[in-house]
Amino acid sequence: MKNIAAIGSGSWGVALALQLNKNGHHVKIWSYSQEEADLINQKHACMFLPNITIPNEIICYTNFEDTMKEAEIVLIVTPSNAIRSTLEKLKPFTNENQIFVLCSKGMEPDTLMIFTDVIKEVLPHVHVAALSGPSHAEEVSEFAPTAVVVASEEEQVMDELQEIFMSDCFRVYTNSDLTGVEVGGSLKNIIALACGISIGMGYGDNAIAALITRGLLEISRIGVGMGAKQETFYGLTGLGDLFVTCSSKHSRNRKCGVLLGQGKSLEEAKKEV
């Protein structure tokens, strides 16, 4: 059994906590919101996942010290715009034996750095990995069959995380191409927005197929230019994640695009999503 801290109480943080709890690990969640923490601790519910019940042994805290106490694995599941500031606040509670797993997708807006590089910059003493792939929280939280990728430059870290996360419904593959895994998980959102806009404007499947196919090529070219391996983009964290984000009813980026295509303003679309 591992002691695991999930830094973020949104749908993805809770979904991963449920998976790890099911695998017999001890999981704590950190939330910036006392309201969300009370909902988890008192009603065993998540406002973003109405169909699930959170087991009693998963506790949510609003301070980093209690959340990080004895943590061996730390999942970073905060919104991408808060990752660097959150890492800075976590620094006093870290040690060289911990594995930090990036579970959020995106790039740092100001620097265009992938977030595992941000972790390395802020916390150079910890081990670093990323978890990504086609994995909507709504399905993961209900233990629907899902396949993801754990990426790290350290083979021992990948093997350990694969064993920790793997279950009969959550299959974990490994990949040492951190850049490719993160770029695929970030840039697919742009193509999903485009697909949503196309749907909102009333275009058909031909346009969607073109956007996905040509979009994947553009993503792979950018990724290779950043030092990634081209084959990474034809796996779960490239094609797989692109497909699910462009086609699923759970995709917020796709939904936002649909609303834009229907003529709503960006602010109206963001508010509705």
Side-chain angles (χ1 to χ4, degrees), residues 230-263:
Q230 187 169 25
E231 56 265 29
T232 299
F233 298 100
Y234 298 96
L236 287 168
T237 59
L239 176 59
D241 208 355
L242 178 65
F243 173 79
V244 80
T245 309
C246 291
S247 62
S248 173
K249 65 182 179 181
H250 298 307
S251 170
R252 290 176 296 169
N253 288 280
R254 178 182 180 273
K255 182 178 180 182
C256 184
V258 170
L259 296 170
L260 292 173
Q262 291 171 344

mmCIF file of all heavy atoms in Angstrom, residues 230-263:
data_model
loop_
_atom_site.group_PDB
_atom_site.id
_atom_site.type_symbol
_atom_site.label_atom_id
_atom_site.label_comp_id
_atom_site.label_asym_id
_atom_site.label_seq_id
_atom_site.Cartn_x
_atom_site.Cartn_y
_atom_site.Cartn_z
ATOM 1 N N GLN A 230 7.949 10.932 -33.057
ATOM 2 C CA GLN A 230 6.735 10.990 -33.870
ATOM 3 C C GLN A 230 5.768 9.861 -33.535
ATOM 4 O O GLN A 230 4.546 10.068 -33.511
ATOM 5 C CB GLN A 230 7.088 10.944 -35.355
ATOM 6 C CG GLN A 230 5.884 11.178 -36.264
ATOM 7 C CD GLN A 230 6.286 11.402 -37.705
ATOM 8 O OE1 GLN A 230 7.341 10.960 -38.128
ATOM 9 N NE2 GLN A 230 5.452 12.104 -38.459
ATOM 10 N N GLU A 231 6.286 8.674 -33.231
ATOM 11 C CA GLU A 231 5.400 7.533 -32.985
ATOM 12 C C GLU A 231 4.526 7.729 -31.744
ATOM 13 O O GLU A 231 3.457 7.121 -31.625
ATOM 14 C CB GLU A 231 6.202 6.236 -32.864
ATOM 15 C CG GLU A 231 7.290 6.226 -31.817
ATOM 16 C CD GLU A 231 8.663 6.593 -32.368
ATOM 17 O OE1 GLU A 231 8.721 7.365 -33.351
ATOM 18 O OE2 GLU A 231 9.660 6.102 -31.814
ATOM 19 N N THR A 232 4.952 8.584 -30.823
ATOM 20 C CA THR A 232 4.150 8.843 -29.628
ATOM 21 C C THR A 232 2.773 9.384 -30.003
ATOM 22 O O THR A 232 1.770 9.077 -29.345
ATOM 23 C CB THR A 232 4.869 9.841 -28.702
ATOM 24 O OG1 THR A 232 6.130 9.286 -28.295
ATOM 25 C CG2 THR A 232 4.044 10.150 -27.461
ATOM 26 N N PHE A 233 2.705 10.161 -31.067
ATOM 27 C CA PHE A 233 1.453 10.832 -31.437
ATOM 28 C C PHE A 233 0.446 9.892 -32.114
ATOM 29 O O PHE A 233 -0.693 10.283 -32.343
ATOM 30 C CB PHE A 233 1.759 12.036 -32.323
ATOM 31 C CG PHE A 233 2.602 13.058 -31.605
ATOM 32 C CD1 PHE A 233 3.970 13.120 -31.818
ATOM 33 C CD2 PHE A 233 2.040 13.908 -30.671
ATOM 34 C CE1 PHE A 233 4.754 14.023 -31.137
ATOM 35 C CE2 PHE A 233 2.815 14.819 -29.976
ATOM 36 C CZ PHE A 233 4.180 14.876 -30.205
ATOM 37 N N TYR A 234 0.855 8.676 -32.372
ATOM 38 C CA TYR A 234 -0.074 7.699 -32.953
ATOM 39 C C TYR A 234 -0.501 6.672 -31.913
ATOM 40 O O TYR A 234 -1.072 5.638 -32.252
ATOM 41 C CB TYR A 234 0.568 7.056 -34.191
ATOM 42 C CG TYR A 234 0.836 8.097 -35.250
ATOM 43 C CD1 TYR A 234 2.085 8.698 -35.360
ATOM 44 C CD2 TYR A 234 -0.187 8.545 -36.079
ATOM 45 C CE1 TYR A 234 2.310 9.701 -36.294
ATOM 46 C CE2 TYR A 234 0.033 9.543 -37.017
ATOM 47 C CZ TYR A 234 1.280 10.118 -37.115
ATOM 48 O OH TYR A 234 1.492 11.120 -38.033
ATOM 49 N N GLY A 235 -0.237 6.995 -30.634
ATOM 50 C CA GLY A 235 -0.639 6.131 -29.542
ATOM 51 C C GLY A 235 -1.756 6.751 -28.727
ATOM 52 O O GLY A 235 -2.442 7.693 -29.151
ATOM 53 N N LEU A 236 -1.927 6.275 -27.503
ATOM 54 C CA LEU A 236 -3.034 6.702 -26.641
ATOM 55 C C LEU A 236 -2.996 8.190 -26.320
ATOM 56 O O LEU A 236 -4.037 8.843 -26.260
ATOM 57 C CB LEU A 236 -3.008 5.895 -25.340
ATOM 58 C CG LEU A 236 -3.446 4.437 -25.423
ATOM 59 C CD1 LEU A 236 -3.075 3.709 -24.138
ATOM 60 C CD2 LEU A 236 -4.942 4.341 -25.670
ATOM 61 N N THR A 237 -1.792 8.736 -26.098
ATOM 62 C CA THR A 237 -1.695 10.135 -25.689
ATOM 63 C C THR A 237 -1.692 11.099 -26.872
ATOM 64 O O THR A 237 -1.681 12.309 -26.681
ATOM 65 C CB THR A 237 -0.428 10.372 -24.849
ATOM 66 O OG1 THR A 237 0.726 10.000 -25.624
ATOM 67 C CG2 THR A 237 -0.472 9.533 -23.588
ATOM 68 N N GLY A 238 -1.717 10.562 -28.090
ATOM 69 C CA GLY A 238 -1.846 11.379 -29.281
ATOM 70 C C GLY A 238 -3.193 11.147 -29.925
ATOM 71 O O GLY A 238 -4.183 11.809 -29.610
ATOM 72 N N LEU A 239 -3.244 10.159 -30.817
ATOM 73 C CA LEU A 239 -4.477 9.840 -31.529
ATOM 74 C C LEU A 239 -5.615 9.490 -30.575
ATOM 75 O O LEU A 239 -6.757 9.943 -30.748
ATOM 76 C CB LEU A 239 -4.232 8.680 -32.496
ATOM 77 C CG LEU A 239 -5.446 8.153 -33.263
ATOM 78 C CD1 LEU A 239 -6.077 9.252 -34.104
ATOM 79 C CD2 LEU A 239 -5.048 6.972 -34.138
ATOM 80 N N GLY A 240 -5.330 8.689 -29.558
ATOM 81 C CA GLY A 240 -6.383 8.266 -28.625
ATOM 82 C C GLY A 240 -7.022 9.435 -27.912
ATOM 83 O O GLY A 240 -8.248 9.569 -27.867
ATOM 84 N N ASP A 241 -6.197 10.309 -27.352
ATOM 85 C CA ASP A 241 -6.715 11.459 -26.611
ATOM 86 C C ASP A 241 -7.386 12.453 -27.556
ATOM 87 O O ASP A 241 -8.408 13.066 -27.221
ATOM 88 C CB ASP A 241 -5.568 12.125 -25.853
ATOM 89 C CG ASP A 241 -6.029 12.825 -24.590
ATOM 90 O OD1 ASP A 241 -7.244 12.880 -24.340
ATOM 91 O OD2 ASP A 241 -5.165 13.325 -23.840
ATOM 92 N N LEU A 242 -6.821 12.618 -28.748
ATOM 93 C CA LEU A 242 -7.418 13.515 -29.736
ATOM 94 C C LEU A 242 -8.812 13.039 -30.123
ATOM 95 O O LEU A 242 -9.764 13.826 -30.167
ATOM 96 C CB LEU A 242 -6.518 13.591 -30.969
ATOM 97 C CG LEU A 242 -7.014 14.458 -32.127
ATOM 98 C CD1 LEU A 242 -7.090 15.915 -31.722
ATOM 99 C CD2 LEU A 242 -6.111 14.278 -33.351
ATOM 100 N N PHE A 243 -8.944 11.754 -30.382
ATOM 101 C CA PHE A 243 -10.239 11.211 -30.805
ATOM 102 C C PHE A 243 -11.296 11.412 -29.720
ATOM 103 O O PHE A 243 -12.406 11.892 -29.989
ATOM 104 C CB PHE A 243 -10.116 9.721 -31.139
ATOM 105 C CG PHE A 243 -11.445 9.061 -31.413
ATOM 106 C CD1 PHE A 243 -12.074 9.213 -32.642
ATOM 107 C CD2 PHE A 243 -12.080 8.315 -30.432
ATOM 108 C CE1 PHE A 243 -13.302 8.629 -32.884
ATOM 109 C CE2 PHE A 243 -13.319 7.735 -30.669
ATOM 110 C CZ PHE A 243 -13.925 7.888 -31.900
ATOM 111 N N VAL A 244 -10.981 11.047 -28.485
ATOM 112 C CA VAL A 244 -11.994 11.118 -27.432
ATOM 113 C C VAL A 244 -12.372 12.567 -27.128
ATOM 114 O O VAL A 244 -13.536 12.868 -26.844
ATOM 115 C CB VAL A 244 -11.523 10.370 -26.164
ATOM 116 C CG1 VAL A 244 -10.558 11.197 -25.320
ATOM 117 C CG2 VAL A 244 -12.705 9.942 -25.313
ATOM 118 N N THR A 245 -11.417 13.480 -27.214
ATOM 119 C CA THR A 245 -11.715 14.877 -26.912
ATOM 120 C C THR A 245 -12.532 15.531 -28.020
ATOM 121 O O THR A 245 -13.342 16.424 -27.769
ATOM 122 C CB THR A 245 -10.408 15.666 -26.683
ATOM 123 O OG1 THR A 245 -9.603 14.963 -25.736
ATOM 124 C CG2 THR A 245 -10.688 17.052 -26.142
ATOM 125 N N CYS A 246 -12.317 15.098 -29.260
ATOM 126 C CA CYS A 246 -13.049 15.669 -30.394
ATOM 127 C C CYS A 246 -14.448 15.074 -30.563
ATOM 128 O O CYS A 246 -15.297 15.676 -31.227
ATOM 129 C CB CYS A 246 -12.268 15.452 -31.692
ATOM 130 S SG CYS A 246 -10.749 16.415 -31.816
ATOM 131 N N SER A 247 -14.689 13.909 -29.975
ATOM 132 C CA SER A 247 -15.937 13.202 -30.276
ATOM 133 C C SER A 247 -16.858 13.004 -29.079
ATOM 134 O O SER A 247 -18.045 12.708 -29.257
ATOM 135 C CB SER A 247 -15.612 11.822 -30.868
ATOM 136 O OG SER A 247 -14.901 11.020 -29.931
ATOM 137 N N SER A 248 -16.368 13.179 -27.858
ATOM 138 C CA SER A 248 -17.145 12.780 -26.683
ATOM 139 C C SER A 248 -18.064 13.884 -26.171
ATOM 140 O O SER A 248 -17.712 15.065 -26.168
ATOM 141 C CB SER A 248 -16.206 12.353 -25.555
ATOM 142 O OG SER A 248 -16.931 12.107 -24.364
ATOM 143 N N LYS A 249 -19.198 13.469 -25.655
ATOM 144 C CA LYS A 249 -20.126 14.388 -24.990
ATOM 145 C C LYS A 249 -19.541 14.945 -23.698
ATOM 146 O O LYS A 249 -20.006 15.958 -23.179
ATOM 147 C CB LYS A 249 -21.443 13.670 -24.687
ATOM 148 C CG LYS A 249 -21.285 12.524 -23.682
ATOM 149 C CD LYS A 249 -22.588 11.792 -23.437
ATOM 150 C CE LYS A 249 -22.389 10.638 -22.440
ATOM 151 N NZ LYS A 249 -23.641 9.887 -22.194
ATOM 152 N N HIS A 250 -18.533 14.264 -23.150
ATOM 153 C CA HIS A 250 -17.910 14.725 -21.905
ATOM 154 C C HIS A 250 -16.884 15.836 -22.139
ATOM 155 O O HIS A 250 -16.424 16.451 -21.182
ATOM 156 C CB HIS A 250 -17.208 13.563 -21.196
ATOM 157 C CG HIS A 250 -18.121 12.450 -20.783
ATOM 158 N ND1 HIS A 250 -19.257 12.660 -20.033
ATOM 159 C CD2 HIS A 250 -18.055 11.109 -21.014
ATOM 160 C CE1 HIS A 250 -19.864 11.485 -19.817
ATOM 161 N NE2 HIS A 250 -19.157 10.548 -20.413
ATOM 162 N N SER A 251 -16.489 16.061 -23.382
ATOM 163 C CA SER A 251 -15.402 16.992 -23.692
ATOM 164 C C SER A 251 -15.850 18.443 -23.547
ATOM 165 O O SER A 251 -16.713 18.923 -24.287
ATOM 166 C CB SER A 251 -14.896 16.749 -25.117
ATOM 167 O OG SER A 251 -14.010 17.769 -25.510
ATOM 168 N N ARG A 252 -15.237 19.168 -22.636
ATOM 169 C CA ARG A 252 -15.580 20.579 -22.439
ATOM 170 C C ARG A 252 -15.085 21.440 -23.593
ATOM 171 O O ARG A 252 -15.727 22.412 -23.969
ATOM 172 C CB ARG A 252 -15.005 21.070 -21.118
ATOM 173 C CG ARG A 252 -15.689 20.471 -19.889
ATOM 174 C CD ARG A 252 -15.034 20.918 -18.609
ATOM 175 N NE ARG A 252 -13.664 20.441 -18.525
ATOM 176 C CZ ARG A 252 -12.786 20.850 -17.615
ATOM 177 N NH1 ARG A 252 -13.136 21.767 -16.733
ATOM 178 N NH2 ARG A 252 -11.561 20.371 -17.582
ATOM 179 N N ASN A 253 -13.930 21.085 -24.151
ATOM 180 C CA ASN A 253 -13.409 21.859 -25.276
ATOM 181 C C ASN A 253 -14.312 21.719 -26.494
ATOM 182 O O ASN A 253 -14.595 22.699 -27.191
ATOM 183 C CB ASN A 253 -11.989 21.394 -25.610
ATOM 184 C CG ASN A 253 -10.986 21.829 -24.562
ATOM 185 O OD1 ASN A 253 -10.546 22.972 -24.554
ATOM 186 N ND2 ASN A 253 -10.651 20.930 -23.651
ATOM 187 N N ARG A 254 -14.765 20.505 -26.759
ATOM 188 C CA ARG A 254 -15.687 20.286 -27.877
ATOM 189 C C ARG A 254 -16.986 21.057 -27.655
ATOM 190 O O ARG A 254 -17.499 21.717 -28.568
ATOM 191 C CB ARG A 254 -15.975 18.789 -28.021
ATOM 192 C CG ARG A 254 -16.962 18.420 -29.129
ATOM 193 C CD ARG A 254 -17.178 16.903 -29.103
ATOM 194 N NE ARG A 254 -18.091 16.441 -30.116
ATOM 195 C CZ ARG A 254 -19.419 16.380 -29.984
ATOM 196 N NH1 ARG A 254 -19.988 16.831 -28.865
ATOM 197 N NH2 ARG A 254 -20.180 15.920 -30.950
ATOM 198 N N LYS A 255 -17.520 20.988 -26.433
ATOM 199 C CA LYS A 255 -18.768 21.682 -26.128
ATOM 200 C C LYS A 255 -18.617 23.187 -26.286
ATOM 201 O O LYS A 255 -19.496 23.874 -26.822
ATOM 202 C CB LYS A 255 -19.231 21.342 -24.714
ATOM 203 C CG LYS A 255 -20.561 21.994 -24.345
ATOM 204 C CD LYS A 255 -21.018 21.601 -22.947
ATOM 205 C CE LYS A 255 -22.345 22.266 -22.600
ATOM 206 N NZ LYS A 255 -22.788 21.933 -21.224
ATOM 207 N N CYS A 256 -17.492 23.708 -25.826
ATOM 208 C CA CYS A 256 -17.229 25.133 -25.968
ATOM 209 C C CYS A 256 -17.207 25.524 -27.443
ATOM 210 O O CYS A 256 -17.781 26.546 -27.843
ATOM 211 C CB CYS A 256 -15.904 25.485 -25.308
ATOM 212 S SG CYS A 256 -15.512 27.247 -25.306
ATOM 213 N N GLY A 257 -16.572 24.688 -28.267
ATOM 214 C CA GLY A 257 -16.528 24.947 -29.694
ATOM 215 C C GLY A 257 -17.902 24.933 -30.331
ATOM 216 O O GLY A 257 -18.217 25.769 -31.188
ATOM 217 N N VAL A 258 -18.735 23.985 -29.912
ATOM 218 C CA VAL A 258 -20.104 23.912 -30.444
ATOM 219 C C VAL A 258 -20.845 25.214 -30.170
ATOM 220 O O VAL A 258 -21.511 25.771 -31.053
ATOM 221 C CB VAL A 258 -20.865 22.712 -29.832
ATOM 222 C CG1 VAL A 258 -22.355 22.779 -30.191
ATOM 223 C CG2 VAL A 258 -20.273 21.394 -30.316
ATOM 224 N N LEU A 259 -20.732 25.713 -28.950
ATOM 225 C CA LEU A 259 -21.422 26.953 -28.582
ATOM 226 C C LEU A 259 -20.898 28.138 -29.393
ATOM 227 O O LEU A 259 -21.673 28.991 -29.829
ATOM 228 C CB LEU A 259 -21.259 27.210 -27.090
ATOM 229 C CG LEU A 259 -21.905 26.162 -26.169
ATOM 230 C CD1 LEU A 259 -21.482 26.388 -24.724
ATOM 231 C CD2 LEU A 259 -23.421 26.190 -26.290
ATOM 232 N N LEU A 260 -19.589 28.181 -29.614
ATOM 233 C CA LEU A 260 -19.018 29.240 -30.443
ATOM 234 C C LEU A 260 -19.543 29.143 -31.876
ATOM 235 O O LEU A 260 -19.885 30.150 -32.496
ATOM 236 C CB LEU A 260 -17.489 29.151 -30.434
ATOM 237 C CG LEU A 260 -16.785 29.475 -29.120
ATOM 238 C CD1 LEU A 260 -15.300 29.183 -29.230
ATOM 239 C CD2 LEU A 260 -16.999 30.934 -28.727
ATOM 240 N N GLY A 261 -19.602 27.912 -32.389
ATOM 241 C CA GLY A 261 -20.100 27.699 -33.750
ATOM 242 C C GLY A 261 -21.561 28.081 -33.911
ATOM 243 O O GLY A 261 -22.010 28.431 -35.012
ATOM 244 N N GLN A 262 -22.289 28.020 -32.811
ATOM 245 C CA GLN A 262 -23.707 28.401 -32.837
ATOM 246 C C GLN A 262 -23.902 29.908 -32.692
ATOM 247 O O GLN A 262 -25.034 30.390 -32.716
ATOM 248 C CB GLN A 262 -24.454 27.664 -31.722
ATOM 249 C CG GLN A 262 -24.567 26.165 -31.956
ATOM 250 C CD GLN A 262 -25.116 25.423 -30.755
ATOM 251 O OE1 GLN A 262 -25.148 25.952 -29.639
ATOM 252 N NE2 GLN A 262 -25.561 24.196 -30.966
ATOM 253 N N GLY A 263 -22.802 30.644 -32.519
ATOM 254 C CA GLY A 263 -22.884 32.089 -32.495
ATOM 255 C C GLY A 263 -22.742 32.734 -31.131
ATOM 256 O O GLY A 263 -22.838 33.964 -31.018
#
